């Protein structure tokens, strides 16, 4: 094993992730984050309560999953190192279901005691057998519910208090224990066999009903989180575990992790493609809706690229593998979606800050309620004071606040991914909803990004000689114009000469030596900076081509311009529709391109865009974005993810227009897997729906606490009512978040 010195160890970082069981609310997630964040070598940590997962970035090789699992265990939680979020949620739900069934069966007999407290239920109480009112039976049943079924709440509260923290478990334990102990005192004061239906009222049903209601709420909440997690992404359903591989003339079924680059994979009719690769033989229509968001099947032929997770149609295909297993585009998208779900938006961080002091504030409120009732409102009536204080504790609900943002973001990120839109951080979705200005690159964003040579005008040389110089200088460039020159040279069968000492300037051009002679190609500014004077004839010819909306570059040999080359790039078919939708969304579009003003203005005019910036270098686009932000505008930048990288990073939201390549996933805050312009407006529209849903959740959670807690404090709510309302409040927030998925689906369908 190679030794790593201190400096290299500091730079070496990697990520660890695992699932966590036992969390009861967002405060638990915050406590785990705080503890793991203090471990030496941990540089970043994020814990998601809805997903029950932890993501940790560490430097060096000293921190392991086992070390972190031990730290989590010391906090009273369980870290599962080889378990997916879905598996963990399913196991947690099964355990909750068992506890809930037991709690319901033991609580039902205790409801007879509730009939004693409510006058309108007295006729019912008179019909019930006296054995249900016997104190020892109620004590026995309530004890099992409180200390056996409810024991995990006690453990959670103990570990929280040991860390000088507080969570939902603390409120539940204090409230239900107080109700249980009050009834316990009455039983032993009056005797285990006193009573019948006319004995002193007991409140065992209060603690048992609250425990049962909380378990019911947690069960529904966990089921909803599991459903949201599965439905929002669903990548596992698209992942193929095995592939039919041809090796040595034989067909062998292998796990996709063992398929190597270059292997030939056979794909049958109506099967999911198991690998990324290029079609060798066959023709078929494939469903690529996962990646492109388009429901229409795409016909694929030999030399076309296919991706894992897409469904083959009626034809049989053989595919040359480019990537398999965890290296496929599908796997990388899934990881980025999970990364975005783990991250926190600024809104969520603010809510977490509120939730951190919520429980201590409720404990203080309960103590004040006890004192005010016992000393001021009804002096000496500590029974009434205790019931009101217990009701306050049981009504307080930090879970609804903690779930308001993350559950909606989990659903939103998955739905966006299904439309070919990958949000790599939760904050990007929040910021996108507030965008009012969109800066758009031209080439590869508004246009197809596949320009063709439309004109080659030699000056003092032949057309073939002009193109030979151009293709030699652009032989190693990845720029779309270079591709067009090489394509034109291949079309007419030119033999390309060798060029030496080639150097490229981003947004400018290239220069080099061909047969010992200096030559250059690029825009007017680049050529003039090389000391070459452009003739009037060259400028006239270039101006004429630019009036036709063409992009023009100059070719020079020694100190003379030997010709110009014009390129034409078609607008994307959905560019006009996107421009109209931006107007409806109240967003101002701006074109910023490195191209000349004539083709830039021609594109802008065709789309009805009024503000255009042409001849922009990458640093010029960066300066434009920063200027707009300084002017108080919320700015998004959409570009191809390469030359536009500085501006993408500087914008409030950088939208990288992908082209199905792996590198495109590394650019921008949001990546469009394919350069589908309407995906931009879809992303904006869906992000606004998401933020609206989060705000609805927050309003409900805050209003619930603002209304219910005062009612509990003034004695209008029985403790069992307050506890039941607390459990149902988080369920209501989750239910509203689940509505988001259906609304996003309808919005996406309307945009088709």
């Amino acid at each position: 094993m190679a030794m790593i010195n201190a400096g290299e160890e500091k730079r070496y970082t990697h990520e660890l992730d695992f699932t966590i069981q036992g969390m009861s609310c967002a405060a638990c997630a915050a406590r785990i984050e705080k503890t793991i964040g203090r471990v030496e070598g941990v540089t970043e940590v994020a814990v998601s309560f809805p997903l029950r997962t932890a993501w940790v970035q560490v430097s060096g090789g000293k921190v392991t999953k086992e070390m972190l699992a031990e730290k989590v265990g010391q906090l009273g939680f369980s870290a599962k190192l080889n378990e997916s979020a879905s598996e963990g949620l399913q196991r947690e739900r099964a355990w909750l279901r068992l506890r809930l069934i037991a709690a319901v069966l033991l609580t039902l007999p205790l409801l007879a005691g509730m009939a004693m407290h409510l006058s309108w239920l007295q006729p019912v109480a008179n019909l019930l057998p006296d054995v249900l009112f016997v104190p020892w039976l109620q004590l026995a049943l309530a004890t099992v519910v409180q200390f056996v079924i409810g024991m995990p709440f006690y453990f959670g509260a103990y570990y929280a208090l040991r860390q000088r923290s507080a969570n939902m478990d603390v409120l539940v334990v204090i409230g239900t224990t107080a109700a249980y102990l009050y009834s316990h005192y009455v039983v032993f004061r009056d005797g285990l066999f006193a009573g019948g239906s006319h004995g002193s009222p007991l409140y065992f049903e209060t603690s048992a009903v609250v425990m049962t209601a909380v378990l019911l709420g947690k069960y529904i909440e966990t089921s909803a989180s599991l459903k949201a997690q599965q439905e929002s992404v669903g990548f596992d359903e698209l992942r193929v575990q095995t592939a039919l591989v041809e090796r040595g003339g034989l067909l062998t079924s292998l796990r996709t992790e063992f398929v190597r680059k270059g292997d030939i994979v056979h794909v049958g009719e109506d099967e999911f493609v198991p690998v990324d690769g290029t079609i060798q033989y066959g023709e078929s229509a494939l469903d690529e809706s996962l990646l492109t968001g388009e429901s229409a099947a795409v016909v694929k032929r030999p030399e076309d690229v296919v991706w894992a997770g897409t469904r083959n149609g009626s034809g049989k295909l053989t595919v040359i593998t480019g990537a398999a297993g965890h290296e496929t585009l599908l796997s990388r998208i899934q990881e980025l979606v999970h990364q975005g779900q783990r991250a926190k938006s600024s809104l969520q961080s603010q809510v977490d800050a509120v939730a951190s002091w919520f429980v201590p504030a409720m404990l203080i409120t309960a103590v004040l309620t006890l004192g005010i009732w016992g000393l001021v409102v009804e002096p000496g009536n500590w029974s009434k004071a205790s019931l009101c204080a217990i009701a306050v504790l049981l009504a307080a609900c930090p879970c609804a606040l903690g779930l308001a943002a993350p559950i909606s973001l989990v659903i939103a990120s998955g739905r966006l991914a299904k439309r070919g839109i990958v949000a790599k951080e939760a904050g990007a979705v929040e910021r996108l909803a507030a965008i009012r200005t969109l800066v758009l690159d031209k080439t590869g964003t508004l246009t197809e990004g596949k320009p063709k040579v439309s004109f080659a005008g030699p000056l003092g040389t032949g057309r073939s000689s002009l193109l030979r110089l151009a293709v030699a200088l652009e032989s190693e460039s990845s720029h779309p114009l270079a591709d067009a020159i090489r394509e034109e040279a291949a079309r007419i069968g030119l033999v390309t000469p060798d060029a030496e000492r080639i150097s490229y300037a981003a947004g400018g051009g290239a220069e080099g030596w061909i047969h010992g002679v200096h030559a250059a190609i690029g825009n007017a500014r680049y050529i003039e900076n090389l000391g070459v004077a452009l003739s009037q004839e060259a400028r006239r010819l270039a101006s004429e081509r630019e009036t036709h909306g063409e992009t023009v570059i100059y070719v020079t040999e020694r100190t003379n311009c030997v010709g110009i080359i014009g390129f034409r790039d078609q607008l994307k078919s959905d560019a006009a529709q996107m421009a109209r939708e931006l107007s409806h969304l109240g967003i101002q579009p701006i074109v910023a391109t490195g191209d000349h003003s004539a083709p830039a203005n021609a594109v802008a005019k065709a789309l009805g865009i009024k503000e255009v910036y042409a001849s922009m270098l990458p640093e010029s686009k960066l300066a434009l974005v920063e200027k707009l932000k300084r002017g108080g505008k919320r700015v998004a930048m959409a570009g191809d993810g390469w030359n536009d990288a500085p501006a993408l990073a500087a914008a409030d939201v950088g939208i990288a227009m992908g082209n199905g390549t792996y590198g495109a996933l590394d650019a921008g805050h949001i990546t469009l897997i394919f350069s589908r312009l309407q995906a931009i407006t879809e992303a904006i529209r869906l992000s606004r729906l998401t933020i609206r849903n989060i705000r609805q959740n927050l309003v409900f959670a805050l209003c619930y606490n603002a209304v219910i807690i005062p009612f509990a404090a003034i004695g209008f709510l029985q403790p069992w009512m307050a506890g039941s309302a607390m459990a149902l409040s988080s369920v209501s927030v989750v239910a509203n978040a689940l509505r988001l998925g259906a609304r996003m689906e309808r919005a996406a369908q309307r945009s088709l």
Side-chain angles (χ1 to χ4, degrees):
M1 181 179 294
M3 297 297 292
I4 301 175
N5 61 42
E8 290 174 337
E9 181 177 325
K10 186 175 181 180
R11 290 193 300 269
Y12 174 67
T13 62
H14 62 285
E15 297 173 3
L16 305 173
D17 60 88
F18 46 87
T19 64
I20 298 178
Q21 297 301 310
M23 292 189 289
S24 61
C25 63
C28 298
R31 185 151 49 94
I32 296 171
E33 284 184 359
K34 185 177 180 180
T35 300
I36 294 180
R38 288 197 294 258
V39 175
E40 184 180 357
V42 172
T43 57
E44 191 175 348
V45 58
V47 179
S48 170
F49 169 56
L51 290 179
R52 310 298 198 270
T53 58
W55 171 80
V56 186
Q57 187 179 71
V58 300
S59 61
K62 296 181 180 178
V63 180
T64 65
K65 275 188 176 182
E66 288 72 20
M67 291 173 56
L68 298 178
E70 184 179 351
K71 283 287 184 183
V72 171
Q74 292 172 0
L75 297 176
F77 306 103
S78 175
K80 303 297 181 181
L81 306 184
N82 299 303
E83 184 176 77
S84 68
S86 293
E87 291 171 339
L89 284 168
Q90 287 172 350
R91 197 157 54 83
E92 181 178 341
R93 185 177 63 171
W95 173 233
L96 283 170
R97 183 193 299 119
L98 180 63
R99 292 169 62 197
L100 176 61
I101 292 172
V104 169
L105 293 176
L106 295 175
T107 301
L108 284 174
L110 292 173
L111 295 180
M114 188 182 298
M116 294 176 59
H117 313 151
L118 304 175
S119 58
W120 55 276
L121 284 179
Q122 284 298 323
V124 176
N126 295 332
L127 298 176
L128 296 175
D130 281 351
V131 68
L132 295 179
F133 301 96
V134 174
W136 68 263
L137 176 62
Q138 293 191 37
L139 173 64
L141 295 175
T143 300
V144 175
V145 174
Q146 187 73 27
F147 298 111
V148 178
I149 298 172
M151 185 54 65
F153 292 116
Y154 283 89
F155 280 118
Y158 165 74
Y159 282 108
L161 294 174
R162 194 176 72 169
Q163 296 292 318
R164 295 184 178 87
S165 180
N167 59 3
M168 187 199 76
D169 292 334
V170 173
L171 295 177
V172 172
V173 164
I174 293 177
T176 57
T177 301
Y180 172 86
L181 291 178
Y182 173 81
S183 298
H184 184 278
Y185 162 74
V186 173
V187 167
F188 283 92
R189 183 193 65 187
D190 295 348
L192 288 174
F193 298 94
S197 60
H198 302 290
S200 298
L202 301 176
Y203 292 93
F204 283 123
E205 82 284 349
T206 295
S207 58
V209 166
V210 169
M211 280 287 185
T212 304
V214 171
L215 286 171
L216 175 62
K218 297 298 294 179
Y219 177 77
I220 296 174
E221 172 198 314
T222 303
S223 299
S225 294
L226 178 61
K227 180 180 179 182
Q229 198 271 344
Q230 292 174 334
E231 289 189 355
S232 67
V233 182
F235 287 116
D236 290 336
E237 298 176 4
L238 304 172
R239 191 183 302 281
V240 180
Q241 300 298 326
T242 60
L244 193 60
V245 182
E246 181 181 335
R247 288 181 180 173
L250 299 176
L251 293 180
T252 306
S253 180
L254 295 176
R255 287 187 61 86
T256 52
E257 290 84 354
F258 302 138
V259 179
R260 299 191 296 263
K261 185 176 182 179
D263 277 341
I264 297 176
V265 174
H266 289 248
V267 184
E269 298 178 3
D270 201 35
E271 291 181 355
F272 282 106
V273 179
V275 298
D276 293 352
T278 305
I279 295 177
Q280 183 184 42
Y281 300 112
E283 179 177 324
S284 184
L286 274 72
D287 177 6
E288 296 183 339
S289 57
L290 167 74
L291 300 178
T292 65
E294 297 290 349
S295 57
V298 180
V299 176
K300 296 282 186 174
R301 300 178 176 86
E303 304 301 323
D304 286 341
V305 177
V306 293
W307 290 274
T310 57
R311 184 185 284 275
N312 185 28
S314 58
K316 295 182 179 180
L317 302 174
T318 57
V319 177
I320 302 175
T321 302
H326 297 295
E327 300 299 321
T328 63
L329 188 62
L330 175 68
S331 293
R332 295 192 62 186
I333 292 171
Q334 183 176 21
E335 176 53 35
L336 286 174
V337 171
H338 287 165
Q339 176 183 319
Q341 291 175 341
R342 289 189 294 254
K344 291 184 179 181
S345 66
S346 61
L347 188 62
Q348 184 178 346
S349 297
Q350 293 169 12
V351 172
D352 286 350
V354 172
S356 66
W357 55 258
F358 182 86
V359 174
M362 290 303 100
L363 291 173
I364 294 172
T365 302
V367 172
L368 291 175
T369 301
L370 178 69
I372 291 172
W373 271 95
L375 298 174
V376 179
V377 180
E378 294 185 13
N381 189 351
W382 294 105
S383 175
K384 178 66 173 178
S386 298
L387 291 177
C388 291
I390 292 170
V392 169
L393 289 173
L394 296 177
C397 183
C399 282
L401 276 175
L403 286 169
I407 194 73
S408 296
L409 290 170
V410 166
I411 294 171
S413 59
R415 290 288 177 174
L416 286 169
K418 286 186 174 181
R419 303 295 301 164
I421 305 163
V422 178
K424 297 194 293 183
E425 54 177 275
V429 176
E430 181 181 341
R431 297 194 302 273
L432 187 63
I435 290 300
R436 290 297 179 269
T437 303
L438 176 62
V439 180
L440 294 153
D441 178 43
K442 182 179 78 70
T443 305
T445 301
L446 293 174
T447 63
E448 294 290 348
K450 297 179 180 178
K452 305 290 185 184
V453 173
S454 54
F455 178 80
L459 297 171
T461 185
R463 187 176 189 273
S464 295
S465 298
L466 173 66
L467 289 173
R468 282 195 189 95
L469 288 175
V471 75
L473 293 169
E474 298 285 19
S475 60
E476 299 177 6
S477 174
S478 60
H479 195 281
L481 297 185
D483 292 337
I485 291 172
R486 289 192 291 267
E487 183 180 331
E488 179 65 13
R491 187 184 68 82
I492 61 178
L494 289 181
V495 177
T496 305
D498 293 329
E500 301 175 342
R501 291 177 283 169
I502 301 175
S503 62
Y504 297 96
E511 63 175 324
W513 298 79
I514 302 174
H515 301 315
V517 177
H518 181 267
I521 183 171
N523 57 37
R525 178 168 44 191
Y526 176 76
I527 296 299
E528 288 174 340
N529 287 339
L530 293 177
V532 178
L534 297 175
S535 66
Q536 291 296 323
E537 178 63 16
R539 291 185 180 278
R540 183 197 63 78
L541 192 58
S543 177
E544 179 182 322
R545 302 314 304 179
E546 287 174 350
T547 58
H548 290 82
E550 295 180 4
T551 299
V552 174
I553 59 174
Y554 300 83
V555 182
T556 68
E557 190 174 30
R558 294 188 175 89
T559 59
N560 298 315
C561 177
V562 295
I564 68 166
I565 301 176
F567 304 84
R568 189 181 297 278
D569 195 2
Q570 296 294 322
L571 271 176
K572 289 183 177 176
S573 58
D574 56 350
Q577 178 66 23
M578 179 210 64
R580 288 192 294 270
E581 291 182 1
L582 287 175
S583 177
H584 294 154
L585 292 169
I587 294 175
Q588 176 193 7
I590 297 174
V591 174
T593 177
D595 211 342
H596 298 297
S597 58
N601 285 319
V603 166
K605 183 178 180 181
L607 298 177
I609 299 175
K610 298 179 180 179
E611 195 167 348
V612 181
Y613 295 87
S615 302
M616 301 281 283
L617 297 172
E619 54 266 31
S620 304
K621 294 181 182 180
L622 171 61
L624 173 62
V625 169
E626 291 177 338
K627 177 183 176 183
L628 291 169
K629 290 177 66 177
R630 285 195 301 270
K633 295 185 177 181
R634 301 289 184 90
V635 183
M637 168 74 189
D640 60 14
W642 301 105
N643 293 333
D644 299 315
L648 288 172
D652 292 302
V653 180
I655 304 174
M657 306 294 293
N659 56 0
T661 64
Y662 306 99
L665 291 175
D666 298 325
H669 307 108
I670 290 178
T671 297
L672 309 185
I673 303 304
F674 282 82
S675 298
R676 190 170 56 92
L677 282 174
Q678 280 188 269
I680 295 177
T681 52
E682 283 179 23
I684 295 171
R685 188 177 291 108
L686 297 182
S687 69
R688 291 182 180 180
L689 280 176
T690 301
I691 299 305
R692 187 182 307 157
N693 185 265
I694 290 174
R695 286 174 178 160
Q696 289 171 352
N697 291 343
L698 288 173
V699 167
F700 177 83
L702 292 171
C703 288
Y704 162 81
N705 285 293
V707 172
I708 295 296
I709 292 173
F711 270 80
I714 62 179
F716 281 8
L717 291 179
Q718 292 290 330
W720 69 269
M721 298 177 185
S724 300
M726 180 269 287
L728 293 176
S729 64
S730 59
V731 173
S732 301
V733 166
V734 172
N736 187 56
L738 290 176
R739 288 177 56 244
L740 175 63
R743 294 190 65 189
M744 293 181 79
E745 190 65 31
R746 290 195 298 270
Q749 292 298 325
R750 286 197 299 268
S751 66
L752 294 178

